[in-house]
Amino acid sequence: MPATYEPIATFTADGSSNPITFTSIPATYTDLRFVISCRANQGTGGGGYSNFTYRYNSSSSTLYSSTEIIGDGASATSSSNTGATYNVIGSGYSIIGKSDSPLNLVTLDVLNYAGSTNKTALATSSTDRNGSGTVVRNVSLWRSTSAITSVSFDVDAFGGVSGRAFASGSTFTLYGIKNA
């Protein structure tokens, strides 16, 4: 990583951890970057894939919105969401036990996270399913001027599906970016 990136914390899932929360994030950086390699355990409800969601500061207020574009090599779709109680990095995440359960690779950049303006984030996600994978690009907004001191990542549970967790070996690393 460039000299401006400083590792803050890393978490490796044990197969039952959900949500995964980074707490006490110091306000000493310009921006945050999460680098994630994950997949989900099956759990109950839903279909063969999961949604990957996150919240700031444990806030379940309706201040979240996002727009995403998804490409699979043959077509592209887009969607948007406003007034939500969480943000979605992407949908269609692989679940362990399915025939196409590769790791999902994700970066989430949270801009000006400690500032006194609304918080924006950019996410990139990719999954290869033997040539039929997807790439997702997402821009999101949290309409709050509060500094972000914690971030929680979840598999579907914020959206009401229970029993899923990040699979054992999924890794989450948080970097602080100085003078970006």
Side-chain angles (χ1 to χ4, degrees):
M1 294 279 165
T4 58
Y5 282 56
E6 185 173 302
I8 297 173
T10 296
F11 182 85
T12 302
D14 63 7
S16 63
S17 305
N18 209 38
I20 291 172
T21 303
F22 290 84
T23 60
S24 303
I25 298 172
T28 54
Y29 302 96
T30 305
D31 305 304
L32 300 174
R33 172 168 267 204
F34 292 89
V35 177
I36 302 163
S37 176
C38 67
R39 67 180 129 206
N41 287 331
Q42 176 60 55
T44 58
Y49 300 102
S50 295
N51 292 317
F52 184 179
T53 59
Y54 65 97
R55 284 183 174 151
Y56 300 123
N57 299 349
S58 299
S59 172
S60 60
S61 61
T62 57
L63 301 176
Y64 298 91
S65 59
S66 64
T67 300
E68 70 180 11
I69 186 165
I70 304 169
D72 65 6
S75 63
T77 59
S78 65
S79 64
S80 62
N81 189 18
T82 60
T85 59
Y86 55 88
N87 266 331
V88 176
I89 289 179
S91 57
Y93 278 76
S94 299
I95 294 176
I96 292 260
K98 301 296 179 185
S99 61
D100 60 350
S101 60
L103 290 171
N104 304 283
L105 304 175
V106 177
T107 60
L108 173 65
D109 294 305
V110 184
L111 311 174
N112 194 26
Y113 74 101
S116 59
T117 60
N118 289 338
K119 308 305 182 269
T120 57
L122 298 171
T124 300
S125 165
S126 60
T127 304
D128 180 24
R129 295 187 185 105
N130 275 335
S132 65
T134 58
V135 174
V136 178
R137 188 70 168 155
N138 178 295
V139 61
S140 62
L141 176 68
W142 184 46
R143 293 178 310 283
S144 174
T145 58
S146 299
I148 294 171
T149 58
S150 71
V151 179
S152 297
F153 296 99
D154 210 332
V155 180
D156 282 331
F158 291 153
V161 177
S162 63
R164 292 194 177 163
F166 290 104
S168 180
S170 296
T171 59
F172 297 73
T173 302
L174 168 60
Y175 296 92
I177 301 174
K178 293 184 177 184
N179 301 320

